[in-house]
């Protein structure tokens, strides 16, 4: 049928069964007789926009026009053909850069010598439908004669283009079937790195996989955790923004809104998107837009006076010079975005200046018209106007076109096995198929500028970017200033770096804008997620005691540290122990010294009156030994005061145990001596039980048992200093760990046993006939002693921290004072104040 024949002519292939399927639905609607109308609707051209014959033909597809008509598909009338309007001088420069590179290669004597390269360049209009038209025209021979024998050969050996990801994908879905290599200079969609679907695709611009992550790291670097996003509603925008949102989430950046626009959207829909941006609270807008969508967004932004935003752009528009006009400068000044490195292409500007397209460039007409302000004279010069076509100050994407053409040339050069000698011919082939070119595109060469060109296993180049900032010079012109870089090839560390150049922010502000959903919590507070809100929106809750805020969360201080007042840092805990500097320690130390001093005074009183009957009757030897032990009891309490150390911990308990054992042994020997002496049936002054040696032996024996217990205790499990962090959270109780609680309670129990024995013997001797019955005073002293130590046990167990030590000192002092006053106070009273009662007759109870 006629449609198949037409398609066969377009594709240059005999078998068009897989192509006809694209038009089945439309044919069913229009009928076979309307096949010409279908082709008319597609606007399929018979000839390319720019072309040149050669031994090898390289195709090109560029968005030379940026707008396309939207035909009415009513299915009742023949649709109007697609019409492309609004010339894009930047894309026009890309096309002529391709032509320049081909001319340069043709003049080269070392690259493809004696081989001429031609070109066929079509206008893709930046849309998918014209892109289909372009790829059909590139693959098709010029002839459209029905019934002509097919050659199964494409008219081009490789295609450079297109400038949009969606257009490139559409072209690949057709050209990929025939393995025609497509080298794009501007299609950045990460989806194109899929070699299973696009095995013949290559590009000279990095994938958005890296750009999107670079943008996320840059946004995080400047502390912007609350941003809005807008994207092109196509493969480029949707894939790039999806990658950015995922990467931003990993960086802790939240998205307030994410809008999408298309250049075919109505003005109302675009206006709605701009209103969403205006009403948002985010001060940073990430615009992942193609040039065409950026144009319509800015036009509406100007209408609604959208200002005060920090724009973050993708490489598609961030260095588009035609946007840097006074119309948009108030909106876009301060913009930040990543782009590929710029370079210089010698001779390109001179080549561009030779191109003539007066009416578009100079806004004039050769035909008189009321709609055009002036008539063209033909003498205008491109170098006299400021036009994106001749602007070679920012050659970034143009250089990608340049590299793509050279990549094809080097691939064919290697495939034809051209020699490296000057003017050496290549091995010509009659059938140079595109699929062979695709295989040899695994090239690695260096341009005249020194830049290396190569493709990885996915057909992608190395991902290196420059971070550019829109700044104004003194004249008010917008400059694209490089302020940082991103190199994805760095094996370790952060690939994003700043070069130290000052940045111009939104609205020419010298202060970096803040864009957060919630302000950072003050020191001592942590973030608490608000239900139903992104993680960047939070409330601040005070950290608990012992916690500090760290990276917006509370962390507990280590065991020996505590939080300061504002919970901003951990400080060492207060170490608490009973010290001499505090009031309680000083008071206890004073009483201890007072008791020792008073005991010493009593000692010297007894020493002065040692020959008197009262002192002799009191068993002076034991009395002096008892006074000595009591002074040690008072002094041993001092070992409990002060910072615990290894030696003080071992000394305090052993000194306490041995001195009190000595004291109790002396009292026990005195009471036993009194009981035996008065219970005897006849006087026996020389009875061994009552002799001084026996008393000394009994004191030594009883004390030695305690010494043995203490030695075993110190040997097996001695007391050691211990930091008690369990009792109080805010402070450390520095105390002596008993080591072996059994040892402590055995020492204390042995003292209690001696005290009980003393009480029993003193109680038995309390009614013995004597004016001065010492047993009565010993009984009272033992009652006080036992009462003190019985109440000590629960108080010791329940007292916290340093009060445990204070209770133990109090028990020592109270029992020592009890013994001193009950036993020696009555005697000192007689010796000092009632000397008349210090006689033998009075001691015997005789008048």
């Amino acid at each position: 049928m006629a449609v198949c024949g037409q398609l066969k002519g377009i594709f240059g292939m005999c078998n068009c069964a897989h192509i006809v399927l694209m038009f089945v639905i439309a044919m069913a609607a229009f009928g076979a007789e309307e096949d010409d109308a279908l082709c008319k609707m597609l606007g399929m051209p018979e000839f390319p926009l720019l072309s040149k014959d050669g031994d090898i033909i390289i195709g090109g597809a560029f968005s030379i026009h940026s707008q396309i008509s939207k035909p009415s598909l009513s299915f009742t009338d023949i649709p109007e053909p697609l019409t492309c309007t609004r010339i894009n001088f930047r894309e026009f420069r890309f096309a002529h850069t391709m032509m320049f590179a081909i001319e340069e290669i043709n003049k080269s004597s070392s690259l493809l010598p004696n081989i001429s390269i031609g070109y066929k360049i079509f206008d893709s209009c930046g849309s998918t439908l014209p892109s289909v038209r372009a790829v059909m025209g590139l693959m098709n021979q010029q002839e459209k004669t029905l019934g002509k024998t097919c050659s199964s050969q494409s008219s081009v050996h490789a295609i450079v283009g297109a400038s949009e990801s969606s257009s490139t994908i559409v072209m690949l879905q057709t050209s990929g079937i025939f393995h025609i290599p497509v080298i794009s200079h501007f299609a950045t969609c990460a989806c194109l790195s899929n070699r299973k679907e696009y095995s013949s695709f290559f590009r000279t611009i990095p994938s958005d996989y890296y750009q999107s992550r670079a943008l996320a790291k840059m946004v995080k670097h400047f502390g912007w955790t609350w941003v809005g996003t807008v994207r092109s509603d196509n493969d480029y925008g949707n894939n790039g923004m999806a990658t950015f949102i995922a990467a931003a989430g990993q960086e802790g950046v939240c998205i307030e809104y994410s809008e999408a626009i298309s250049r075919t959207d109505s003005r109302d829909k675009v206006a709605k998107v701009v209103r969403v941006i205006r009403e948002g609270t985010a001060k940073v807008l990430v615009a992942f837009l193609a040039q065409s969508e950026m144009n319509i967004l800015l036009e509406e932004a100007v209408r609604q006076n959208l200002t005060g935003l920090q724009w973050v752009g993708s490489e598609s528009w961030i260095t588009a010079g035609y946007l840097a006009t006074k119309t948009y400068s108030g909106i876009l000044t301060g913009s930040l975005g990543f782009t590929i490195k710029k370079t210089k292409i010698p001779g390109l500007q001179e080549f561009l200046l030779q191109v003539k397209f007066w009416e578009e460039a100079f806004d004039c007409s050769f035909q008189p018209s009321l709609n055009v302000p002036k008539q063209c004279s033909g003498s205008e010069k491109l170098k006299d106007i400021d036009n994106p076509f001749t602007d070679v100050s920012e050659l970034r994407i143009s250089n990608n076109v340049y590299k793509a053409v050279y990549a094809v040339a080097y691939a064919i050069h290697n495939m034809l096995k051209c020699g490296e000698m000057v003017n050496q011919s290549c091995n010509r082939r009659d059938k140079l198929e595109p699929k062979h070119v695709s295989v040899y595109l695994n090239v690695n060469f260096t341009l005249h500028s020194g830049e290396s060109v190569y493709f990885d296993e996915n057909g992608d180049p190395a991902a290196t970017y420059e971070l550019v900032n829109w700044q104004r010079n003194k004249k008010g012109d917008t400059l694209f200033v490089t302020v940082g870089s991103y190199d994805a090839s760095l094996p370790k560390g952060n690939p994003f770096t700043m070069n130290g150049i000052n940045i111009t922010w939104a609205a020419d502000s010298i202060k970096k804008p803040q864009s957060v959903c919630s302000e950072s919590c003050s020191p001592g507070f942590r973030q608490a997620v608000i239900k139903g809100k992104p993680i960047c929106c939070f409330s601040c809750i005070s950290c608990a005691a012992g916690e500090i805020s760290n990276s917006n969360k509370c962390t507990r201080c280590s065991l020996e540290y505590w939080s300061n007042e504002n919970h901003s840092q951990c400080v060492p805990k207060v170490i608490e122990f009973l010290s001499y500097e505090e009031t309680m320690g000083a008071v206890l130390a004073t009483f201890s010294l007072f008791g020792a001093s008073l005991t010493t005074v009593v000692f010297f009183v007894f020493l002065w009156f040692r020959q008197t009957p009262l002192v002799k009757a009191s068993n002076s030897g034991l009395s002096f030994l008892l006074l000595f032990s009591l002074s040690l009891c008072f002094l041993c309490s001092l070992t409990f005061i002060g910072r615990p150390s290894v030696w003080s911990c071992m000394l305090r308990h052993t000194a306490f145990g041995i001195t009190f054992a000595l004291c109790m042994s002396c009292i026990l020997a005195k009471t036993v001596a009194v009981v035996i002496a008065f219970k005897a049936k006849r006087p026996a002054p020389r009875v061994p039980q009552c002799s001084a040696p026996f008393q000394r032996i009994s004191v030594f024996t009883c004390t030695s048992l305690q010494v043995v217990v203490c030695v075993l205790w110190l040997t097996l499990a001695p007391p050691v200093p211990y930091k008690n962090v369990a009792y109080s959270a805010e402070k450390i109780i520095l105390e002596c760990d008993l080591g072996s609680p059994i040892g402590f309670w055995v020492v204390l129990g042995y003292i209690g046993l001696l005290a009980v024995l003393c009480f029993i013997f003193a109680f038995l001797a309390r009614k013995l006939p004597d004016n001065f019955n010492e047993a009565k005073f010993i009984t009272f002293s033992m009652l006080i002693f036992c009462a003190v130590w019985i109440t000590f046990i629960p108080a010791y167990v329940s007292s916290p921290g340093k009060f445990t030590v204070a209770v133990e000192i109090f028990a020592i002092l109270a029992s020592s004072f009890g013994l001193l006053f009950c036993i020696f106070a009555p005697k000192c009273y007689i010796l000092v104040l009632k000397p008349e009662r210090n006689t033998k007759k009075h001691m015997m109870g005789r008048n």
Side-chain angles (χ1 to χ4, degrees):
M1 56 191 305
V3 171
C4 182
Q6 182 83 330
L7 293 175
K8 286 166 65 178
I10 292 172
F11 281 88
M13 297 296 295
C14 294
N15 185 5
C16 62
H18 62 287
I19 304 299
V20 175
L21 186 61
M22 298 167 54
F23 298 91
V24 169
I25 297 177
M27 286 174 58
F30 283 98
E33 68 277 6
E34 302 294 345
D35 56 351
D36 291 335
L38 287 174
C39 296
K40 182 179 180 183
M41 180 187 71
L42 282 174
M44 296 177 183
E46 296 185 11
F47 302 101
L49 186 66
L50 299 167
S51 64
K52 180 181 179 180
D53 291 332
D55 300 325
I56 296 170
I57 303 298
I58 300 177
F62 301 95
S63 304
I64 297 175
H65 290 87
S66 58
Q67 285 187 353
I68 185 172
S69 62
K70 190 174 182 181
S72 175
L73 301 178
S74 62
F75 291 94
T76 58
D77 300 320
I78 297 175
E80 297 178 357
L82 299 177
T83 305
C84 297
T85 58
R86 195 173 183 177
I87 189 170
N88 187 326
F89 290 108
R90 190 187 188 200
E91 291 283 336
F92 200 47
R93 172 168 27 98
F94 296 163
H96 281 79
T97 302
M98 174 181 169
M99 295 163 56
F100 170 77
I102 290 175
E103 294 294 338
E104 194 175 68
I105 294 171
N106 286 336
K107 294 177 183 179
S108 174
S109 58
S110 59
L111 182 60
L112 289 176
N114 301 319
I115 297 290
S116 64
I117 302 178
Y119 53 81
K120 290 171 62 176
I121 298 176
F122 281 79
D123 184 5
S124 66
C125 294
S127 183
T128 54
L129 200 54
S131 298
V132 174
R133 178 183 67 184
V135 74
M136 287 180 178
L138 289 170
M139 296 171 59
N140 181 34
Q141 299 289 351
Q142 297 291 346
E143 297 81 1
K144 295 177 61 178
T145 305
L146 301 182
K148 183 176 180 178
T149 303
C150 296
S151 62
S152 302
Q153 176 66 47
S154 170
S155 66
V156 296
H157 297 88
I159 300 174
V160 175
S163 297
E164 294 82 15
S165 296
S166 295
S167 298
T168 305
I169 291 173
V170 168
M171 292 173 58
L172 284 168
Q173 288 172 346
T174 302
S175 64
I177 299 173
F178 311 110
H179 306 287
I180 301 174
V182 175
I183 306 97
S184 178
H185 57 286
F186 216 177
T188 57
C189 179
C191 59
L192 289 168
S193 297
N194 187 343
R195 300 309 275 176
K196 291 183 179 180
E197 292 189 29
Y198 311 111
S199 59
S200 59
F201 175 74
F202 301 83
R203 55 182 157 193
T204 53
I205 189 168
S207 166
D208 282 337
Y209 175 87
Y210 302 103
Q211 182 190 193
S212 298
R213 281 161 174 74
L215 289 173
K217 285 190 175 293
M218 184 262 287
V219 168
K220 180 62 175 179
H221 173 81
F222 291 119
W224 298 325
T225 58
W226 186 241
V227 301
T229 64
V230 61
R231 68 187 186 278
S232 295
D233 193 8
N234 53 28
D235 295 283
Y236 168 73
N238 293 330
N239 283 277
M241 186 56 69
T243 305
F244 170 79
I245 292 175
Q250 296 175 357
E251 298 289 342
V253 178
C254 297
I255 310 300
E256 181 183 9
Y257 55 84
S258 183
E259 298 294 321
I261 60 174
S262 173
R263 70 162 126 186
T264 57
D265 288 341
S266 64
R267 180 177 171 181
D268 291 339
K269 185 173 181 181
V270 178
K272 182 180 178 181
V273 171
V274 175
R275 283 196 297 271
V276 171
I277 297 173
R278 286 187 60 189
E279 295 170 0
T281 58
K283 300 301 180 183
V284 175
L285 177 64
V286 179
F288 219 97
L289 296 168
Q291 296 180 47
S292 53
E293 281 77 24
M294 188 65 181
N295 291 337
I296 62 172
L297 180 68
L298 288 176
E299 289 174 359
E300 185 60 34
V302 171
R303 294 190 191 100
Q304 298 191 26
N305 193 25
L306 179 64
T307 58
L309 283 179
Q310 175 65 51
W311 288 72
V312 175
S314 59
E315 92 297 327
S316 176
W317 65 267
I318 197 62
T319 56
Y322 74 93
L323 295 177
T325 61
K326 293 182 179 180
T327 305
Y328 303 138
S329 60
I331 299 176
L332 296 178
T333 296
S335 296
L336 287 165
F338 287 101
T339 186
I340 58 176
K341 294 181 179 180
K342 68 178 180 179
T343 187
K344 293 183 179 180
I345 303 177
L348 176 61
Q349 187 173 31
E350 291 76 10
F351 180 83
L352 296 176
L353 292 175
Q354 298 174 7
V355 179
K356 299 177 182 179
F357 54 109
W358 273 264
E359 292 186 347
E360 288 284 356
F362 299 104
D363 192 19
C364 63
S365 175
F366 287 104
Q367 299 295 329
S369 175
L370 296 177
N371 298 327
V372 180
K374 62 181 179 178
Q375 187 173 357
C376 298
S377 65
S379 60
E380 293 86 356
K381 296 181 179 179
L382 285 173
K383 64 180 181 179
D384 295 332
I385 64 170
D386 184 12
N387 190 286
F389 178 74
T390 56
D391 182 10
V392 294
S393 61
E394 292 288 334
L395 292 182
R396 302 176 190 271
I397 309 303
S398 296
N399 189 48
N400 285 349
V401 177
Y402 187 77
K403 291 188 290 186
V405 174
Y406 265 87
V408 175
Y410 272 98
I412 297 176
H413 181 92
N414 296 335
M415 184 175 63
L416 298 181
K417 298 180 180 179
C418 299
E420 297 182 359
M421 300 296 293
V422 177
N423 296 322
Q424 184 172 343
S425 299
C426 300
N427 296 326
R428 291 177 175 269
R429 295 184 184 179
D430 294 333
K431 292 184 179 181
L432 183 61
E433 297 185 14
K435 62 181 180 181
H436 297 148
V437 180
S438 180
V439 173
Y440 278 86
L441 265 173
N442 186 21
V443 293
N444 191 337
F445 61 93
T446 304
L447 295 174
H448 302 301
S449 61
E451 182 180 0
S452 297
V453 180
Y454 61 91
F455 303 106
D456 63 13
E457 63 276 6
N458 296 322
D460 296 329
T464 57
Y465 299 95
E466 288 181 347
L467 177 63
V468 297
N469 178 221
W470 287 38
Q471 300 185 9
R472 287 178 177 174
N473 59 15
K474 294 181 180 180
K475 296 180 180 180
D477 298 328
T478 299
L479 303 177
F480 304 128
V481 180
T482 301
V483 295
S485 62
Y486 184 92
D487 188 353
S489 64
L490 294 178
K492 294 182 180 179
N494 187 359
F496 174 60
T497 57
M498 301 294 294
N499 59 14
I501 296 178
N502 293 331
I503 296 177
T504 296
W505 305 105
D508 288 336
S509 174
I510 60 173
K511 185 178 180 181
K512 182 181 69 174
Q514 300 296 320
S515 186
V516 294
C517 180
S518 300
E519 293 292 337
S520 298
C521 295
S522 302
F525 292 82
R526 66 174 178 86
Q527 295 180 356
V529 177
I530 302 174
K531 189 176 181 179
K533 293 289 188 69
I535 60 172
C536 300
C537 302
F538 50 82
S539 58
C540 295
I541 299 177
S542 176
C543 293
E547 295 181 342
I548 62 170
S549 57
N550 182 15
S551 298
N552 296 317
K553 64 180 181 179
C554 295
T555 55
R556 178 162 291 278
C557 297
S558 58
L559 288 177
E560 297 188 5
Y561 289 84
W562 194 249
S563 58
N564 56 2
E565 291 184 3
N566 59 359
H567 298 270
S568 60
Q569 62 179 348
C570 291
V571 295
K573 287 183 178 179
V574 176
I575 297 179
E576 183 181 86
F577 58 88
L578 188 62
S579 64
Y580 292 101
E581 288 76 14
E582 59 182 299
T583 303
M584 184 167 57
V587 170
L588 292 175
T590 301
F591 275 100
S592 176
L593 294 174
F594 173 74
S597 300
L598 188 61
T599 304
T600 304
V601 171
V602 174
F603 182 86
F604 282 106
V605 169
F606 266 62
L607 186 63
W608 181 264
F609 294 101
R610 64 184 178 278
Q611 299 299 331
T612 62
L614 179 60
V615 176
K616 290 181 178 180
S618 299
N619 199 335
S620 59
L622 287 178
S623 295
F624 286 121
L625 188 58
L626 178 59
L627 287 170
F628 172 73
S629 64
L630 280 175
S631 63
L632 293 180
C633 288
F634 282 113
L635 293 176
C636 80
S637 62
L638 296 176
T639 61
F640 288 83
I641 304 175
R643 188 183 185 92
S645 63
V646 176
W647 290 104
S648 66
C649 287
M650 290 191 295
L651 179 63
R652 63 172 57 173
H653 290 97
T654 53
F656 156 73
I658 293 173
T659 54
F660 267 85
L662 176 61
C663 181
M664 292 297 102
S665 298
C666 293
I667 295 173
L668 180 62
K670 288 173 67 70
T671 54
V672 170
V674 171
V675 171
I676 292 177
F678 283 94
K679 292 293 183 180
K681 294 182 178 180
R682 58 185 180 84
R686 296 181 180 272
V687 177
Q689 289 88 340
C690 298
S691 62
F694 173 75
Q695 293 175 356
R696 296 190 187 96
I697 292 172
S698 62
V699 170
F700 176 78
T701 303
C702 292
T703 305
S704 297
L705 291 176
Q706 185 74 302
V707 172
V708 171
V709 173
C710 290
V711 170
L712 290 175
W713 182 15
L714 295 179
T715 303
L716 299 178
V720 292
Y722 169 67
K723 293 180 179 180
N724 187 349
V725 296
Y727 173 75
S728 175
E730 301 180 9
K731 53 190 175 182
I732 298 175
I733 308 299
L734 194 58
E735 57 188 13
C736 287
D737 182 70
L738 295 176
S740 173
I742 295 175
F744 172 75
W745 291 110
V746 169
V747 168
L748 196 62
Y750 183 70
I751 295 173
L753 176 63
L754 294 178
V756 170
L757 292 176
C758 290
F759 176 77
I760 292 173
F761 281 106
F763 183 79
L764 293 175
R766 71 187 187 286
K767 295 183 178 180
L768 294 177
D770 194 349
N771 267 355
F772 186 77
N773 189 356
E774 192 177 28
K776 294 179 181 179
F777 303 114
I778 294 175
T779 302
F780 284 119
S781 65
M782 289 299 102
L783 283 174
I784 295 174
F785 185 89
C786 291
V788 168
W789 286 101
I790 289 174
T791 56
F792 160 78
I793 294 174
Y796 177 83
V797 173
S798 61
S799 296
K802 61 183 179 182
F803 297 101
T804 303
V805 179
V807 167
E808 194 167 358
I809 295 175
F810 176 80
I812 293 172
L813 295 178
S815 58
S816 298
F817 275 112
L819 293 175
L820 180 64
F821 281 110
C822 289
I823 296 177
F824 293 98
K827 298 177 183 179
C828 291
Y829 174 77
I830 295 174
L831 291 174
V832 177
L833 300 177
K834 298 292 183 179
E836 66 275 10
R837 297 171 60 180
N838 189 6
T839 61
K840 186 175 181 181
K841 291 182 179 181
H842 187 77
M843 295 296 106
M844 298 299 295
R846 299 171 184 174
N847 294 325

